[in-house]
Amino acid sequence: MYLLRLLRRRQTSGRITQRLNIDMRSRLLRAFYWLLAITVLHTLAMMTFEGLGGGDALWLTLTTMTTVGYGDVSAATPLGRTATVLLLYVAGITLLAQLASDYIDYRLKRKESMIKGRWRWQMQDHVLIINSPNNNAAVYFECLVNQLRSTVDLHDTPVQILTDAFPEGLPESLRAQGVVHHHGEPSDPQALTAVTPARARAIIVLARDEYSRVSDSITLDVLGQLQELCQTGLPYIVAECVHEDSRKRTELAGASTTLRPIRAYPEMLVRSLVAPGAEKILENLFTHHDDHAMRYPVQLDDAVWSDVTCRLMAAGMGTLMAYVAEDGHITCHPAHDHRFSAKALILMVREEFVPTAQDIERCVHQPMPAASRTDR
């Protein structure tokens, strides 16, 4: 009940803010139209009572209303002076001052709304990030945006975040990188509509709590609403899943790919955008399911990378990923003709067959057939 009341209060606050912005714009337009009407009336009065041409009459009206008063043209007849006093001194100057004050106030409120996430940006071809982590959201977003900006395909793509984590505005470090946000609950229909998901280039749906199954329920709710909002087709969507059994449902709900929340490595999310499928390889490195990395203490001297790699793959032992030199330095995926000495090898092995250290030792040290040897 508390969460429901809190959500209703935030929705009501958002509607009030939107209503105030609309009222302010309407007030400015009304004042402008009244000012325009007064300008036309006084110009006509000067043409009628003072016998001025259209240009001189408008010039007199504007210089008087703005209190510049050059004095090169002025009202001389009683009726002309009366019209000037009533239309400009009493109404025009007061209305112009009010219009200027309201416009400044509108600009200040508009800037405040932008900073505090109450502005509808109407963005297009942007990366939309929905939700935020419970802990250290600012630090996480800084790392994620830095990764996006360092990627060639996404370095200049606008980024918008839908979150309720920053009621007073995003940190300056994020705003300096051109990131904007909309303040709202991720599953709030009005908030989702405000961030224009149908126009997004890609959408990332984060899990708020990386240990709670409730996060998956919120993600499924968000995906269901996105399907309703994106009638012409969903953008590429990356969704985080806390529990493995939620992956299938999440993909059926519209997610292009799913991955577990790994807060220390936002690079995985970026990889899933620029190289779809790469996130699965990276994710396996963090688990003991499916393919996973294993270290084997194997001594090699003056070996060739392609020779050792081909031997291991041909024998079904796995894929050679890196080697550990005598000094402990780890070299990952060198050139095919790279010569090396090692005290250990790191392989990506299959879950259904995990070779032993003896298997690896025999494989890399047995003589290769003459037809299979690399020409050195």
Side-chain angles (χ1 to χ4, degrees):
M1 291 298 293
Y2 171 76
L3 291 176
L4 183 60
R5 288 196 299 271
L6 181 62
L7 178 60
R8 286 175 177 172
R9 282 201 298 269
R10 286 176 174 171
Q11 290 176 340
T12 302
S13 176
R15 286 194 293 268
I16 291 174
T17 301
Q18 184 179 1
R19 183 73 253 174
L20 287 174
N21 289 332
I22 294 174
D23 290 345
M24 181 67 75
R25 287 194 291 269
S26 299
R27 182 176 174 180
L28 285 171
L29 284 174
R30 284 196 301 270
F32 174 76
Y33 289 141
W34 274 110
L35 195 63
L36 183 61
I38 290 173
T39 301
V40 172
L41 286 175
H42 187 266
T43 300
L44 293 175
M46 293 302 99
M47 294 172 65
T48 302
F49 301 139
E50 301 295 331
L52 298 175
D56 288 340
L58 180 60
W59 174 254
L60 173 60
T61 300
L62 294 178
T63 55
T64 304
M65 184 183 298
T66 56
T67 68
V68 175
Y70 284 107
D72 54 343
V73 182
S74 61
T77 65
L79 289 176
R81 290 177 176 177
T82 301
T84 298
V85 170
L86 295 177
L87 291 174
L88 297 188
Y89 293 173
V90 175
I93 295 176
T94 302
L95 191 59
L96 181 62
Q98 180 183 341
L99 180 63
S101 175
D102 287 347
Y103 179 72
I104 293 173
D105 189 37
Y106 170 74
R107 295 285 296 183
L108 292 175
K109 288 184 179 297
R110 180 174 180 267
K111 183 177 181 180
E112 181 184 18
S113 296
M114 289 179 175
I115 292 176
K116 294 189 175 182
R118 297 193 294 265
W119 188 259
R120 289 180 176 242
W121 293 92
Q122 301 298 325
M123 299 180 72
Q124 188 167 353
D125 199 29
H126 57 295
V127 173
L128 173 60
I129 304 172
I130 299 176
N131 217 345
S132 56
N134 266 342
N135 302 313
N136 300 318
V139 176
Y140 177 79
F141 282 131
E142 287 177 17
C143 295
L144 178 56
V145 173
N146 284 333
Q147 287 296 315
L148 290 170
R149 293 290 181 250
S150 61
T151 303
V152 175
D153 293 340
L154 299 171
H155 76 279
D156 59 350
T157 302
V159 178
Q160 184 175 24
I161 304 172
L162 171 58
T163 177
D164 58 355
F166 306 102
E168 298 303 317
L170 291 175
E172 180 60 33
S173 57
L174 287 174
R175 295 206 302 268
Q177 296 188 70
V179 180
V180 299
H181 88 297
H182 186 81
H183 185 76
E185 291 283 345
S187 56
D188 178 8
Q190 290 187 344
L192 283 171
T193 302
V195 294
T196 58
R199 303 181 193 171
R201 177 176 178 178
I203 299 176
I204 298 173
V205 184
L206 298 175
R208 172 161 295 185
D209 188 342
E210 59 266 41
Y211 303 108
S212 173
R213 191 182 292 271
V214 176
S215 296
D216 291 345
S217 300
I218 296 174
T219 297
L220 289 169
D221 181 28
V222 170
L223 291 172
Q225 295 191 56
L226 289 177
Q227 285 189 332
E228 296 178 2
L229 293 172
C230 305
Q231 298 293 333
T232 58
L234 288 169
Y236 190 84
I237 300 179
V238 181
E240 290 186 336
C241 281
V242 174
H243 285 269
E244 187 68 24
D245 56 6
S246 298
R247 284 181 179 262
K248 190 64 176 177
R249 287 183 296 158
T250 303
E251 291 173 355
L252 290 174
S256 306
T257 188
T258 60
L259 69 163
R260 297 182 185 88
I262 302 179
R263 292 291 172 252
Y265 293 94
E267 297 91 338
M268 292 181 61
L269 288 170
V270 179
R271 286 294 94 198
S272 66
L273 296 179
V274 298
E279 76 282 354
K280 299 301 182 185
I281 299 174
L282 296 173
E283 190 175 30
N284 282 341
L285 296 175
F286 291 88
T287 68
H288 202 71
H289 300 289
D290 300 324
D291 296 344
H292 54 273
M294 293 285 290
R295 174 169 169 154
Y296 293 95
V298 176
Q299 190 72 37
L300 286 173
D301 295 311
D302 195 30
V304 178
W305 180 261
S306 58
D307 284 351
V308 179
T309 302
C310 290
R311 288 188 187 193
L312 292 168
M313 292 188 68
M317 298 294 170
T319 303
L320 185 57
M321 305 294 292
Y323 71 88
V324 183
E326 292 295 337
D327 61 358
H329 178 74
I330 299 175
T331 301
C332 299
H333 197 249
H336 71 284
D337 57 353
H338 176 73
R339 289 182 175 273
F340 68 99
S341 297
K343 66 177 182 180
L345 300 177
I346 298 176
L347 279 73
M348 182 73 77
V349 300
R350 293 176 289 117
E351 182 181 18
E352 59 270 22
F353 173 65
V354 180
T356 64
Q358 291 76 17
D359 293 333
I360 301 297
E361 186 80 32
R362 284 193 299 269
C363 180
V364 297
H365 285 112
Q366 68 182 357
M368 290 186 66
S372 302
R373 285 198 191 97
T374 302
D375 184 12
R376 301 185 185 180

